[in-house]
Amino acid sequence: MSVTEYIRKSQIWRSIFRHPAPYDRRNRAVVILTNFFLHLHPVSAKKGGIALSYTWCMGGITFFLFLVETLTGVLLMFYYRPTLEWAFTDIRALRDVNTLGIMREIHRWGAHAMVITVWLHMYRVFLTGSYKPPREFNWVIGVLLLVLTLLLSFTGYLLPWDQLAIWAITVGSNMARATPFLGHEGPGFQLLNVGGFDLITNASDARFLLLGARTVGEETLNRFYILHCVAIPIVVSGLIAVHFWRVRKDGGISQPL
Amino acid sequence: MNPHPDLTVGVIHGLGWLYLLLFFLNLGWTVRSYKVDGQYESLMGIKHAPKALVWAAYSALLLIVTLVHFAVESDASNFKLRLPEFIKNPADAVIANPISFFCLSIVIYAAIILLRKWWVKPTVSWVLFNLSVLFITVSMTDYDFRKIVGKPDNVPIVGMLFLVGFTTWLYFSKANENDRRIAEGLPVREKELSDQVLVWPDLVYTEMICMILITALLIVWGVALQAPLEEPASAVKTPNPSKAPWYFLGLQEMLVYFDPWMAGVVLPSVILVGLMAIPYIDFNTKGNGYYTFNERKFAISTFLFGFMPLWTGMIVLGTFIRGPNWNMFGLYEYWDAHKLEVLNNVNLSDYFWLSFLELPLPKPDPQAGFFSQAGSILLREWTGILVILFYLFAIPPLLAVTIFKKFFVKMGFVRFMVLANLFLFMASLPLKMVLRWVFNLKYIVSIPEWVFNI
Ligand code: HEM
């Protein structure tokens, strides 16, 4: 009995994998059905639909990058405190003194990559006409995922608390004060007033809601930290689950009828 | 004044590695050409050298160039293989001008679609790929180019451009093939691959390999390039230029042509709603689940217009070309914060009252009641308001009875109106650009009293 065979026959192995190795047709089907991670897939699919040249694997790569970002992000959270006193120093320490410092690089480049792949995934879905019935709604979910991916990246941009960070966020969030009706420099904000008092001021408008303050400051750092590490990832995970579910329920990856 | 520090040995060696990579790629291509393109080509009846020979010669040249780069040990400033100066100024003049930049991107867009049969041919696209790599390596000898393109945060954008090019190439080669089949009455290529296969191993292994490659890529990338960390944040030191993250640079670019409420809020919302609306307004049932161009000409061309000149083009513009004071700089130009650009933009109301009627602008009396103020504002701006109302409310029906008649009949009223309005919003940006360049037009409607400018 070879070593691998010994391991495969052991009680521990068999308690984890509930079926023999996927060497024959039957077990190749069973492995997909009984493994939690693999069961996202159907057992079989049309050859053209799963061809790399058809999907470019872009959705899959985007999902994988999301997982990479989650993992490296959690590691980074161990070393990072979102306060004016520490944020910058903690990030610099990742470079200067920390053995796991490369996590920051992987996290940042992974984020860039994810923004790029999510666009390319959308591009592919458009070019194959895969948003057409019955997949209309999954496209809508996809657009939401696209927005949330951008927001994830945007909120993360602030956290190193360097010049690049606060000014990019300042430029980006300045537009919010011009929101029609809800921004204190937007058209129509004067209309929202009660007895001569403006309801929309620089301390109550859309930008204030985003920043938690009149300018990008510690409140903003806290707000973006929570959005970046908790709120948006939870929503994205939920939507990805729905997205995958719908890919299956809408009949799998699109193919000519 | 142009304080160009010159090439360093490190940069030259780095370029050497890029040439080496290109050499190996072309070596592979030579082998492919030897096998695929045939041993001999007949040119006007004369048998001449195989194509592969040309590729072999080119590869050899690349190898020599590589060695020349690696041979440099000191005295980098005397290095001869660099972008000649006389190219830089004309190239900068084209790139740093909004009109020629935009025209260039439209020309590229049109060429991608109109020449789709030609540019996806293996040899042509390989030459194009080589040219774009050579463009980068040669340009890298210029200090200013290196500084902006080599910024760690900008490297992924260069990568994105190659990926967009590659995926577009992939799309058109498959679409051309399917379009040919459809024209001949054959089933599309995807249809031939309709047998069911097991996901283990056919899909699972692909995914596994993708994951490994992506992981390797991220690790190499992480080791090679350090994530940027600038000075600690300071609320008083505003960097010039201050740029949004790269994927929002399209919005920041729109700020040049629109006020923030349009560029930052209304247009992005319209873009998102428009994207979500696509499946509900595209009534064309063809082209579902396979690559085709001919069966979806309108949809694909419109989407590509948004994707290439607008989205990708504006990222390129915002990242590489917009410099201090949001002025445009050529790729080889020093980012001089004192570069002056004269802006004398004029509102439509100025044109109407001052130039056309030669009367002063009607002035709302700040003491007067709301209605009197509103009256004189409307009087001042009536031309612009009329233009906007015409654009939004008269053009869609006009389209419906003229060029888009077929669409209107098939889509019904609501869908058509949604489509027409999304279309008009998308067109509003290029239109406003053209108006700005041709007439120096600032705002069509300008009501600063209500912070309402279009
Ligand atoms: C976090 C972002 C996203 C993830 C992780 C994701 C993941 C995936 C995956 C794994 C698939 C299976 C097929 C493939 O890989 O191409 C898929 C399909 C699909 N995705 Fe996404 N996606 C994301 C964003 C989007 C976006 C932005 C859109 C469109 C606006 C979109 C629309 C679709 C549609 C319509 C399908 C079905 C395609 C078909 O049947 O051929 N998704 N997605």
Side-chain angles (χ1 to χ4, degrees), chain A residues 54-64 66 114 118-119 121-122 124-125 128 130-131 135-136 138-147 149 236 240 243-244 247 252-255, chain B residues 275:
Chain A
Y54 184 74
T55 63
W56 312 344
C57 201
M58 273 305 160
I61 292 178
T62 312
F63 180 52
F64 179 64
F66 180 68
M114 187 173 164
V118 77
W119 275 100
H121 171 56
M122 176 167 110
R124 174 315 263 177
V125 170
T128 53
S130 302
Y131 57 82
R135 296 185 180 77
E136 306 102 308
N138 216 13
W139 169 272
V140 175
I141 294 176
V143 176
L144 294 177
L145 280 170
L146 170 80
V147 178
T149 308
V236 169
I240 288 183
H243 194 59
F244 287 1
V247 172
I253 294 170
S254 62
Q255 278 296 283
Chain B
L275 280 174

Side-chain angles (χ1 to χ4, degrees), chain A residues 22 25 28 31-32 38 41-48 50 52-54 56-57 61 64-65 68 88 91-92 95 102 104-106 108-110 112-113 115-116 119-120 122-124 126-133 135-137 139-140 143-144 146-147 150 153-154 157 160-164 166-168 171 175 178-180 185-190 254-257, chain B residues 152-153 156 160 163 167-168 170-171 174 188 190-191 193-203 206-207 210-211 214-215 218-219 221-223 225-235 237-239 242-248 252 255 260-261 264-265 272 275-276 278-280 282 284 286-291 296 299-300 303-304 307-308 311 449-452:
Chain A
R25 246 191 107 71
R28 285 180 173 176
V31 65
I32 301 288
L38 293 178
H41 302 101
V43 166
S44 68
K46 280 192 181 150
K47 200 171 181 164
I50 58 176
L52 185 61
S53 62
Y54 184 74
W56 312 344
C57 201
I61 292 178
F64 179 64
L65 285 169
V68 170
F88 179 80
I91 296 286
R92 196 169 49 195
R95 167 183 295 184
I102 197 183
R104 171 163 183 246
E105 270 72 26
I106 296 186
R108 192 179 186 100
W109 305 142
H112 282 306
V115 172
I116 295 172
W119 275 100
L120 291 178
M122 176 167 110
Y123 192 37
R124 174 315 263 177
F126 187 89
L127 293 175
T128 53
S130 302
Y131 57 82
K132 300 190 177 197
R135 296 185 180 77
E136 306 102 308
F137 188 63
W139 169 272
V140 175
V143 176
L144 294 177
L146 170 80
V147 178
L150 295 182
S153 181
F154 183 68
Y157 216 86
W161 203 249
D162 61 348
Q163 280 290 75
L164 200 61
I166 68 158
W167 290 101
V171 171
M175 303 195 191
T179 315
E185 286 176 11
F189 81 94
Q190 299 105 322
S254 62
Q255 278 296 283
L257 302 169
Chain B
D153 263 341
M160 180 183 79
L163 277 176
T167 47
T168 308
L170 197 60
Y171 161 64
K174 304 194 131 227
V188 293
E190 284 84 352
K191 194 107 190 170
L193 300 172
S194 63
D195 37 333
Q196 292 277 331
V197 291
L198 283 177
V199 159
W200 184 299
D202 277 44
L203 176 57
T206 315
E207 289 174 349
C210 277
M211 290 198 277
I214 297 287
T215 311
L218 285 178
I219 292 175
W221 190 357
V223 173
L225 283 185
Q226 204 168 44
L229 188 65
E230 298 189 351
E231 307 266 286
S234 149
K237 266 196 285 173
T238 316
S242 293
K243 290 191 180 182
W246 63 269
Y247 37 83
F248 286 149
Q252 205 175 347
L255 281 174
W261 71 277
V265 187
L272 290 180
L275 280 174
M276 292 195 213
I278 287 176
Y280 303 98
D282 184 355
N284 179 358
K286 287 191 190 148
N288 183 349
Y290 53 91
Y291 289 102
R296 305 172 57 203
I300 301 263
F303 191 83
L304 281 183
F307 195 71
M308 303 213 149
W311 155 256
E449 295 88 345
W450 299 338
V451 247
F452 183 89

Side-chain angles (χ1 to χ4, degrees), chain A residues 140-224:
Chain A
V140 175
I141 294 176
V143 176
L144 294 177
L145 280 170
L146 170 80
V147 178
L148 289 170
T149 308
L150 295 182
L151 287 181
L152 264 180
S153 181
F154 183 68
T155 48
Y157 216 86
L158 182 67
L159 303 184
W161 203 249
D162 61 348
Q163 280 290 75
L164 200 61
I166 68 158
W167 290 101
I169 303 305
T170 305
V171 171
S173 60
N174 269 347
M175 303 195 191
R177 69 180 167 204
T179 315
F181 303 111
L182 299 180
H184 80 278
E185 286 176 11
F189 81 94
Q190 299 105 322
L191 297 179
L192 297 179
N193 88 19
V194 176
F197 284 101
D198 283 335
L199 292 181
I200 302 297
T201 66
N202 66 358
S204 69
D205 67 347
R207 182 164 181 267
F208 191 90
L209 179 75
L210 189 66
L211 300 185
R214 289 193 183 91
T215 52
V216 178
E218 184 148 32
E219 300 85 348
T220 319
L221 188 56
N222 186 45
R223 210 160 266 214
F224 275 41

Side-chain angles (χ1 to χ4, degrees), chain B residues 22 26 29 32 37 51 54-55 58 62 118-135 162 169:
Chain B
L22 197 60
N26 275 289
W29 189 262
R32 178 201 171 276
D37 294 335
K51 256 192 201 169
V54 181
W55 287 114
Y58 171 63
L62 282 175
W118 176 75
W119 75 266
V120 298
K121 285 185 186 165
T123 310
V124 179
S125 43
W126 187 253
V127 170
L128 289 177
F129 169 74
N130 269 281
L131 287 178
S132 37
V133 176
L134 288 177
F135 162 71
F162 278 95
W169 172 81

